[in-house]
């Protein structure tokens, strides 16, 4: 019977499923909202709402992440992988066997995602050395790791969560190696399938078979650089002579990358932003010639010769104010772009005062510090609203004399007129890119004699608009001078000139623990911080080479890099990135191999023989990893996937609510009513199919937590063995073969492999059907399919 509590719980469940499918919010945030909804509605008690954070499964998961990272840092996994990969010298079938076998064996000890991250650079190197497309090898790598993860309790999260659900419902949990027989059988069948059928379904691109020294040619072909590179030459007379590349604004204004400067017989590879331009320099440019047309828009801006006065920025309801970043402010360490005062309050930041010095240019990427004073311009009511912003202090009005004497504002003010016929007409201020391209701020628009103060980014420009701006008129003049550059239409760029022993091309992807998802290259100031240019981004089977600076990075993106090779090796040690070359990886601590192995034994032996609960044994092993120096404590914290931890901890209360309110029983009764006449194998097949389809739209960990109480209740109603039902669910959830989003490791290889969604459907669905067949054959040999009440 449907009760109010059952209905409320089902509404929370349905809302969570919709949010997971639409991906409007982060999955960990969805989990927290679920937790709060259950607590506020009284469906669970306050202690029950936070029980998930102390759940043994969550503790075990955190410890497993640390143990996996310790093995990686010590080089055990690299050593094992290197020995097994030696088997693969030969044809593609033998290489596929070696890669899948290596990944499957490592899955006995490590987290699946960690194995793919570990082996990805080595497999990419093998692909280049053998002249094979990475797409022929990377899916076997991921599928090998996923298959191997089916063999032990701790290798993958769904297995662990399924066991935890059994314990919470009063059943005997799975043992450490209860999954081994069925996992080994599924792994063997999966490898045979990939060797004889699956690998023939894999896509392959036509990559030139070059030696490893010319691997850059492969990357150029993959990212279609030949079609997006051209040469510009400087005339003898141009305002650009003697200016730096940064001052030319080729990058910030047009999104063009200067890959090399060809100066007579000398070639300056990966020039710095401080490189000075000389007469007759020839610039090897990465971009499209269409981007040069953008210059025509700015050529149709007329610079007023009359001096612009401060009074033109003032009105009855417009003023200037200062605000100081407080010592405990959350704004400290962030950029103005992050603070986004223009969008939130309609205010312009015209200057930043720090330690007596005043900065007026390129403010948006300037990193704020405690004590910085911001000069703000806008409507007086918006300035007053700043008092509600936590962390901003000493907000006060700035006088006319302070603007002139302290900030020298009149020296920065000038006017631009939008000429009749300009391409800027009917574009918004945001679309005009005046701020981003020229580093200027539009503080007001005078239109038909009336002033529009602090216009919004959505304000559309009209013919004869007078833009009152803060900036340097010389920046606009220099930008207009780019039109003096001569496009060498008949020049064929010599791509051999962009690589040398010191500089070259490389690829990188975001690591599983990256903190950079959602940030743009502009936000990161990638070139300035890492000394490397990003020439292209490969995403979901498509290459992008324009507009890169404003593309928000996504997990699974592959970045084409150009710059000093030592900088790439340095980037390889950054936890946010994985360089797809084994040579660029951080060297392992091989002297720690014995103590890392000891740490794993401290975990495994007590857990196998039942001397300690598995979560206590895992914690003991993780602590030993840190105590013996295999990794530092801060590295241990970084190794934990906190997103998964919060997701699981937040969704566990929903499993409790489903059980305690009777919602799980209600849904189970409906399931049994539909499938009551099915046999036990048909029940298992239905559970497997439902879970497998669910992984296409919902993260597998959340899916297991949602389905577990329902499946266990349905199993009890139908007389089905709870262990048989849960292992069928775990096998489907942990598999994740049929969709890129079914498992994070699939997303990780999409960029480097150039895969599309259809590739996973084509290769993965038959494999999932085979694993289902193995499940239906092996499970009855291990557990009785039915139980008597």
């Amino acid at each position: 019977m449907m009760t109010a509590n059952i209905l409320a719980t089902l509404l929370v469940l349905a809302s969570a499923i919709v949010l997971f499918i639409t991906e409007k919010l982060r999955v960990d945030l969805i989990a927290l909202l679920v937790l709060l909804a259950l607590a506020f509605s009284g469906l669970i008690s306050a202690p029950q709402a936070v029980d998930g954070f102390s759940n043994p499964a969550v503790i075990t998961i955190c410890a497993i992440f640390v143990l996996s990272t310790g093995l990686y840092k010590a080089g055990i996994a690299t050593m094992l992988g290197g020995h097994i990969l030696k088997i693969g010298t030969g044809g593609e079938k033998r290489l596929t066997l070696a890669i899948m076998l290596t990944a499957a064996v490592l899955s006995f000890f490590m987290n699946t995602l960690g194995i793919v991250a570990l082996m990805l650079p080595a497999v990419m190197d093998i692909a280049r050395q053998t002249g094979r497309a990475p797409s022929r090898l990377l899916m076997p790598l991921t599928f090998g790791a996923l298959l191997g993860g089916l063999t032990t309790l701790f290798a993958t999260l769904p297995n662990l969560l399924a066991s935890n659900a059994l314990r919470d419902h009063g059943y005997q949990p799975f043992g450490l190696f209860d999954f081994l027989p069925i996992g080994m059988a599924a792994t063997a069948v999966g490898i045979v399938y990939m060797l004889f059928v699956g690998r023939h379904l894999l896509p392959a691109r036509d990559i030139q078979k070059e030696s490893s020294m010319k691997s850059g040619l492969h990357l150029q072909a993959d990212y279609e650089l030949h079609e997006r590179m051209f040469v510009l030459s400087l005339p003898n007379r141009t305002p650009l002579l003697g200016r730096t590349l940064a001052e030319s604004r080729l990058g910030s204004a047009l999104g063009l990358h200067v890959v090399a400067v060809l100066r007579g017989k000398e070639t300056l590879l990966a020039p710095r932003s401080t490189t000075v331009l000389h007469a007759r320099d020839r610039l090897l440019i990465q971009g499209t010639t269409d981007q040069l047309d953008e210059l025509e828009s700015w050529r149709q801006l007329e610079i007023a010769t009359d001096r612009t006065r401060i009074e033109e920025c003032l009105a009855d309801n417009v003023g200037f104010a200062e605000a100081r970043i407080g010592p405990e402010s959350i704004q400290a360490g962030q950029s103005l772009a992050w603070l986004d005062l223009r969008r939130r309050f309609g205010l312009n930041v015209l200057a930043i005062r720090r330690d007596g010095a005043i900065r007026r240019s390129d403010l948006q990427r300037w990193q704020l510090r405690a004590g910085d004073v911001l000069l703000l311009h806008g409507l007086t009511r918006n300035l007053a609203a700043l008092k509600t912003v936590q962390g901003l202090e000493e907000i006060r009005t700035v006088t006319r004399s302070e603007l002139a004497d302290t900030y020298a504002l009149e020296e920065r003010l000038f006017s631009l007129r939008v000429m009749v016929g300009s391409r800027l007409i009917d574009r918004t201020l945001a679309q005009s890119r005046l701020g981003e391209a020229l580093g200027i701020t539009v503080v007001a628009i005078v239109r038909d004699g009336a002033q529009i103060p602090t216009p919004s980014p959505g304000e559309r420009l009209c013919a004869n608009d007078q833009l009152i701006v803060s900036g340097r008129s010389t920046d606009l003049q220099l930008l207009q001078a780019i039109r003096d550059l001569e496009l060498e239409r008949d020049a064929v760029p010599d791509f051999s000139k962009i690589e040398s022993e010191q500089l070259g091309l490389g690829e990188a992807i975001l690591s599983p623990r990256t903190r950079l998802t959602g940030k743009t290259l502009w936000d990161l100031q990638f070139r300035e911080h890492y000394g490397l240019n990003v020439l292209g981004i490969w995403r979901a089977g498509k290459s992008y080479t324009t507009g890169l600076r404003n593309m928000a990075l996504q997990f699974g993106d592959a970045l084409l890099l150009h710059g000093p090779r030592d900088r790439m090796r340095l980037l390889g040690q950054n936890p946010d990135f994985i360089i797809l070359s084994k040579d660029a990886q951080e060297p392992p601590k091989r002297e720690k191999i014995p103590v890392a192995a000891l740490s794993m034994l401290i975990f495994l032996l007590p857990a196998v023989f039942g001397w300690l609960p598995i979560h206590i044994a895992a914690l003991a092993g993780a602590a030993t990893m840190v105590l013996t120096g295999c990794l530092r404590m801060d590295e241990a914290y970084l190794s934990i996937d906190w997103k998964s931890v919060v997701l699981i901890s937040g969704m566990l209360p929903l499993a409790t609510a489903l059980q305690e309110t009777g919602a799980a029983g209600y849904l189970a009764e409906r399931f049994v009513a539909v499938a009551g006449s099915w046999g036990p194998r048909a029940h298992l097949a239905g559970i497997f199919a439902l879970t497998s389809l669910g992984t296409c739209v919902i993260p597998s960990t959340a899916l297991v937590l949602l389905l577990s109480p329902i499946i266990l209740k349905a199993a009890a109603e139908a007389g089905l063995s709870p262990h048989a039902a849960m292992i069928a669910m775990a096998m489907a959830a942990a598999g994740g073969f049929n969709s890129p989003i079914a498992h994070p490791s699939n997303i990780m290889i999409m960029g480097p492999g150039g895969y599309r969604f259809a590739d996973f459907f084509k290769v993965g669905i038959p494999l999932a059907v085979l694993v289902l067949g193995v499940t239906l054959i092996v499970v009855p040999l291990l557990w009785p399919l039915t139980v008597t009440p």
Side-chain angles (χ1 to χ4, degrees):
M1 177 180 175
M2 175 75 75
T3 65
N5 281 350
I6 290 176
L7 178 61
T9 304
L10 292 180
L11 285 174
V12 174
L13 172 64
S15 301
I17 292 173
V18 170
L19 288 173
F20 281 129
I21 293 173
T22 57
E23 299 181 342
K24 296 294 185 183
L25 299 174
R26 286 172 50 121
V27 293
D28 46 351
L29 178 57
I30 295 172
L32 288 177
L33 292 176
V34 167
L35 181 155
L36 291 171
L38 294 171
F40 288 159
S41 62
L43 294 171
I44 57 174
S45 65
Q48 285 176 316
V50 294
D51 273 351
F53 291 95
S54 60
N55 190 281
V58 173
I59 303 300
T60 306
I61 289 164
C62 291
I64 293 297
F65 281 129
V66 176
L67 286 165
S68 295
T69 303
L71 292 175
Y72 166 72
K73 293 280 187 182
I76 288 181
T78 307
M79 179 184 67
L80 290 173
H83 287 310
I84 299 176
L85 280 174
K86 289 179 181 178
I87 303 170
T89 54
E92 185 176 89
K93 183 186 293 186
R94 194 169 178 181
L95 190 56
T96 302
L97 172 64
I99 290 171
M100 294 192 72
L101 196 59
T102 301
V105 170
L106 292 176
S107 290
F108 292 175
F109 313 100
M110 292 180 64
N111 175 267
T112 301
L113 193 57
I115 293 163
V116 176
L118 167 72
M119 292 185 61
L120 190 54
V123 173
M124 290 295 292
D125 279 345
I126 291 170
R128 293 183 184 122
Q129 290 166 13
T130 59
R132 289 183 172 85
S135 58
R136 304 290 297 175
L137 303 177
L138 293 184
M139 199 177 291
L141 165 64
T142 296
F143 285 0
L146 290 172
L147 288 165
L150 302 175
T151 56
T152 61
L153 178 65
F154 59 85
T156 188
L157 297 183
N159 293 0
L160 199 57
L161 294 174
S163 179
N164 184 71
L166 285 170
R167 179 184 59 80
D168 288 347
H169 285 76
Y171 299 108
Q172 177 69 30
F174 290 121
L176 206 58
F177 296 110
D178 280 355
F179 286 86
L180 191 60
I182 189 171
M184 291 286 285
T187 301
V189 169
I191 290 176
V192 171
Y193 159 75
M194 289 300 296
L195 290 178
F196 294 99
V197 179
R199 69 185 182 90
H200 298 294
L201 303 176
L202 292 169
R205 292 189 303 274
D206 184 18
I207 295 180
Q208 305 172 45
K209 295 184 179 181
E210 301 285 341
S211 67
S212 59
M213 286 297 293
K214 294 189 178 180
S215 61
L217 294 178
H218 297 284
L219 296 175
Q220 291 167 25
D222 291 349
Y223 287 85
E224 303 173 357
L225 291 190
H226 291 75
E227 302 173 12
R228 295 181 171 91
M229 297 191 81
F230 55 92
V231 176
L232 293 174
S233 60
L234 271 70
N236 289 330
R237 292 184 179 179
T238 172
L240 293 174
L241 298 182
R243 301 286 184 171
T244 65
L245 281 175
E247 290 171 335
S248 78
R249 293 191 175 271
L250 276 167
S252 61
L254 301 178
L256 299 174
H257 288 291
V258 181
V259 179
V261 176
L262 312 178
R263 183 172 294 163
K265 296 182 179 180
E266 183 184 7
T267 299
L268 305 178
L269 293 172
R272 294 182 177 276
S273 58
T274 54
T275 299
V276 176
L277 296 173
H278 294 181
R280 298 184 180 178
D281 276 351
R282 301 172 68 237
L283 310 179
L284 182 58
I285 301 292
Q286 187 264 327
T288 66
T289 54
D290 292 342
Q291 291 169 271
L292 294 176
D293 295 337
E294 188 75 18
L295 286 169
E296 197 60 36
S297 301
W298 297 314
R299 283 183 65 84
Q300 294 162 342
L301 286 171
E302 182 181 60
I303 303 176
T305 55
D306 297 337
R307 184 177 179 182
T308 303
R309 304 188 63 81
I310 293 176
E311 284 73 17
E312 297 184 53
C313 304
L314 294 171
D316 292 340
N317 59 342
V318 179
F320 292 85
E322 284 184 341
R324 183 183 299 275
I325 304 295
E328 304 297 329
S329 172
I330 61 172
Q331 288 86 9
Q334 303 291 347
S335 66
L336 272 181
W338 177 87
L339 193 56
D340 202 6
L341 291 175
R342 181 70 175 265
R343 182 186 61 82
R344 294 169 60 200
F345 295 96
L347 299 175
N348 296 313
V349 180
L350 302 184
I352 299 176
R353 181 155 52 88
R354 177 185 295 172
D355 300 330
I358 297 176
R359 183 181 178 91
R360 302 178 180 87
S361 302
D362 297 321
L363 299 180
Q364 288 300 305
R365 63 186 182 186
W366 188 250
Q367 192 174 61
L368 300 173
R369 295 181 188 170
D372 283 352
V373 177
L374 311 182
L375 175 63
L376 302 156
H377 170 257
L379 297 174
T380 51
R381 67 172 183 270
N382 294 343
L383 291 170
L386 285 177
K387 295 178 182 179
T388 64
V389 179
Q390 186 178 3
L392 292 183
E393 302 177 349
E394 301 177 26
I395 300 170
R396 69 176 189 87
T397 301
V398 180
T399 65
R400 165 74 172 75
S401 60
E402 287 178 302
L403 293 172
D405 300 336
T406 305
Y407 290 99
L409 185 59
E410 283 191 348
E411 298 176 9
R412 302 274 301 176
L413 290 176
F414 64 98
S415 296
L416 299 172
R417 186 174 68 87
V418 180
M419 299 169 64
V420 175
S422 169
R423 296 185 183 187
L424 291 175
I425 293 173
D426 205 37
R427 289 189 186 181
T428 66
L429 276 178
Q431 291 170 339
S432 75
R433 298 176 58 247
L434 288 169
E436 178 186 349
L438 307 179
I440 63 178
T441 301
V442 180
V443 296
I445 296 178
V446 178
R447 181 179 297 159
D448 299 329
Q451 187 184 99
I452 304 173
T454 60
S456 71
E459 183 69 36
R460 293 192 177 275
L461 298 174
C462 299
N464 293 316
D465 274 356
Q466 179 188 358
L467 312 182
I468 301 174
V469 301
S470 172
R472 294 180 300 191
S473 59
T474 53
D475 285 343
L476 180 59
Q477 293 166 349
L478 280 175
L479 189 68
Q480 292 175 335
I482 296 179
R483 291 293 293 181
D484 298 334
L485 297 175
E486 299 171 0
L487 175 63
E488 299 184 12
R489 296 190 180 276
D490 297 328
V492 179
D494 184 357
F495 293 97
S496 65
K497 291 185 176 181
I498 70 173
E499 289 199 285
S500 68
E501 291 184 5
Q502 289 78 36
L503 297 106
L505 293 169
E507 280 184 296
I509 61 172
L510 299 182
S511 75
R513 309 289 178 263
T514 186
R515 299 158 294 178
L516 306 183
T517 302
K519 294 187 177 181
T520 66
L521 297 176
W522 189 85
D523 293 334
L524 300 175
Q525 292 299 291
F526 193 92
R527 181 170 181 169
E528 288 79 0
H529 287 172
Y530 303 110
L532 297 165
N533 291 318
V534 179
L535 301 186
I537 295 177
W538 187 280
R539 175 179 296 170
K542 184 179 179 181
S543 66
Y544 298 86
T545 55
T546 59
L548 302 182
R549 58 190 280 115
N550 295 316
M551 283 181 67
L553 296 177
Q554 298 178 6
F555 182 61
D557 286 349
L559 280 59
L560 176 64
L561 307 174
H562 178 250
R565 298 186 191 277
D566 59 345
R567 287 281 189 169
M568 290 194 195
R569 285 189 286 270
L570 194 62
L571 188 66
Q573 299 177 24
N574 188 310
D576 289 311
F577 296 95
I578 297 174
I579 302 294
L580 301 184
S581 171
K582 192 167 58 176
D583 295 337
Q585 302 306 302
E586 182 181 3
K589 304 175 183 177
R590 296 193 182 276
E591 71 280 2
K592 297 295 184 180
I593 287 178
V595 290
L598 175 64
S599 300
M600 282 302 294
L601 287 176
I602 288 175
F603 159 51
L604 290 173
L605 290 178
V608 169
F609 292 104
W611 301 335
L612 291 172
I614 187 172
H615 63 286
I616 299 298
L619 276 179
T624 307
M625 281 285 188
V626 176
L627 288 172
T628 55
C630 292
L631 70 167
R632 302 187 307 273
M633 198 64 190
D634 58 327
E635 291 175 326
Y637 283 120
L638 286 173
S639 71
I640 298 172
D641 185 0
W642 294 107
K643 186 177 179 180
S644 295
V645 170
V646 174
L647 170 63
I648 295 167
S649 302
M651 295 303 293
L652 279 170
L654 181 54
T656 302
L658 286 169
Q659 182 181 356
E660 292 196 353
T661 62
Y666 179 83
L667 294 176
E669 288 172 3
R670 300 301 173 276
F671 177 81
V672 172
V674 173
S677 60
W678 299 358
R681 277 190 171 84
H683 281 132
L684 290 186
I687 291 170
F688 188 102
L690 174 65
T691 308
S692 187
L693 289 173
T695 60
C696 295
V697 292
I698 298 176
S700 59
T701 48
L703 185 65
V704 169
L705 292 168
L706 293 176
L707 290 180
S708 292
I710 301 169
I711 288 175
L712 285 171
K713 204 72 175 177
E717 293 277 344
L720 187 67
S721 164
H723 292 86
M726 293 304 283
I727 206 163
M729 180 196 67
M731 293 290 286
F737 308 112
N738 51 1
S739 166
I741 63 174
H743 198 278
S745 61
N746 293 345
I747 299 175
M748 188 186 293
I749 64 168
M750 280 198 75
Y755 294 117
R756 296 176 173 85
F757 272 71
D759 297 324
F760 286 90
F761 298 151
K762 185 166 57 176
V763 183
I765 289 177
L767 179 56
V769 172
L770 287 174
V771 173
L772 168 60
V774 170
T775 303
L776 297 179
I777 293 171
V778 178
V779 166
L781 303 178
L782 304 175
W783 292 276
L785 289 185
T786 58
V787 292
T788 54

